[in-house]
Amino acid sequence: MSEVVTGEAVVVEVRVAQLPSRALAFLIDWAVQWAVIILAVVLVSQASLVTDESLATGLLILFVVLVTVGYPVAFETISRGRSLGKLALGLRVVSDDGGPVRFRQALFRGLAGFLEFWTFLGAPALITSLLNQRGKRLGDVFAGTTVIGERSPRQAPPPEMPPALASWAATLQLSGLSDDLANTARQYLSRWHELSPQTRDEMGLRVAGQISARVAPPPPPGVPPHAYLAAVLAERRRREEMRLARARSTPPPYGPQGYGVQGQGVPAAPPREAGPPREAGPPRGDGPTTSGGFVPPI
């Protein structure tokens, strides 16, 4: 994972594409380009029988330039950073600020790619990718782009509430449970079936002990660690879903229009009716005050 700072100064985490996946995507694009070049050579050779040889040579050079440079530039501009190889492997070229790649950036990448791959057989791209922290090749460095992976790894389903612990979990105090500790328990449960019995018991007791020190009340006697952790995480998820549901259904705190300056959708206060003069009383400041400075009415 790598952090990308957007134009609005928002830090977003993205998954930078690894070198093997980028190499395989390039091989797919490279095979497609060679197929188009071979087809162009066949067509030009047939056309050279009825046209001038210099014209056929010029057409062949034009086809080669369009395939080697125009292919990546056109695909990355039209499809917003995805060529056929990147589309097959779930990769995309984006700007360093996380935005879609622009034509200027795609053109820089295409011209640099012609030198990197077609002139020097990919040696500069390989060396630069190994030295760069984000795996950038020279074209990415010049254009200010990054290749990211769009296909996130499959996540294990959330743990389900054990029916025997549902009533006990409803009484839990979860304010002391941190996100890091909850993620540790979630990772343990996702790999619980893959661990050996000894490792599974040792890790379960350690993680359950850390969580029980921050969660009350303690579990009922005889509850295994994985069931205890599943109940805690399921109850935590249930309360979070309820909180989000209430937040979405709560009406505005000041009514549909709110209160503000007169003339901005807020009705003006009705005029006060004339009546007998009010009797003078002690000033409001003479009454007792609260600690916050509020003066109660007399």
Side-chain angles (χ1 to χ4, degrees):
M1 300 295 287
S2 178
E3 292 184 350
V4 172
V5 182
T6 65
E8 293 78 16
V10 178
V11 180
V12 180
E13 287 190 353
V14 296
R15 188 167 61 91
V16 178
Q18 300 299 319
L19 183 59
S21 59
R22 296 187 61 178
L24 184 56
F26 167 75
L27 289 178
I28 295 175
D29 292 330
W30 186 72
V32 173
Q33 288 173 294
W34 268 111
V36 177
I37 289 176
I38 293 175
L39 178 62
V41 170
V42 172
L43 294 178
V44 170
S45 61
Q46 295 295 328
S48 62
L49 299 176
V50 294
T51 59
D52 187 12
E53 183 177 356
S54 60
L55 177 60
T57 304
L59 289 177
L60 182 59
I61 295 175
L62 178 62
F63 273 118
V64 170
V65 172
L66 288 178
V67 172
T68 56
V69 179
Y71 169 86
V73 174
F75 268 97
E76 292 179 2
T77 303
I78 297 174
S79 62
R80 292 180 174 269
R82 292 184 296 181
S83 61
L84 293 179
K86 293 181 178 62
L87 181 63
L89 295 179
L91 306 181
R92 182 187 292 270
V93 182
V94 297
S95 301
D96 284 340
D97 60 356
V101 64
R102 294 179 287 272
F103 172 75
R104 174 181 56 83
Q105 295 172 315
L107 181 60
F108 271 107
R109 282 176 51 83
L111 294 176
F114 179 81
L115 296 177
E116 291 179 275
F117 300 112
W118 296 92
T119 305
F120 297 102
L121 302 178
L126 178 61
I127 297 174
T128 309
S129 299
L130 293 175
L131 297 178
N132 191 273
Q133 185 178 4
R134 293 188 177 182
K136 292 185 175 185
R137 63 177 179 87
L138 288 179
D140 294 317
V141 175
F142 295 152
T145 56
T146 304
V147 181
I148 63 173
E150 294 185 309
R151 297 175 183 174
S152 58
R154 296 183 60 183
Q155 298 180 352
E160 297 181 358
M161 172 68 70
L165 300 178
S167 58
W168 164 80
T171 64
L172 288 175
Q173 299 291 334
L174 301 175
S175 58
L177 182 58
S178 62
D179 293 338
D180 293 338
L181 191 54
N183 289 333
T184 301
R186 189 176 297 108
Q187 293 176 3
Y188 164 75
L189 291 178
S190 64
R191 300 176 54 194
W192 181 72
H193 298 282
E194 304 174 1
L195 302 175
S196 62
Q198 182 179 0
T199 305
R200 181 172 57 198
D201 295 339
E202 292 177 357
M203 290 185 61
L205 290 174
R206 183 171 66 252
V207 177
Q210 295 175 355
I211 289 184
S212 62
R214 295 170 173 82
V215 174
V223 175
H226 68 275
Y228 168 71
L229 297 175
V232 172
L233 294 182
E235 178 64 20
R236 188 173 188 261
R237 186 182 72 254
R238 185 187 70 85
R239 296 183 185 182
E240 183 66 19
E241 291 175 353
M242 292 179 59
R243 186 186 65 82
L244 294 176
R246 287 195 300 266
R248 286 192 293 265
S249 61
T250 301
Y254 301 110
Q257 293 182 343
Y259 297 94
V261 182
Q262 181 178 346
Q264 296 182 359
V266 181
R272 182 177 299 176
E273 297 181 359
R278 303 177 62 182
E279 297 181 359
R284 297 176 60 89
D286 294 344
T289 61
T290 62
S291 59
F294 172 70
V295 181
I298 298 177

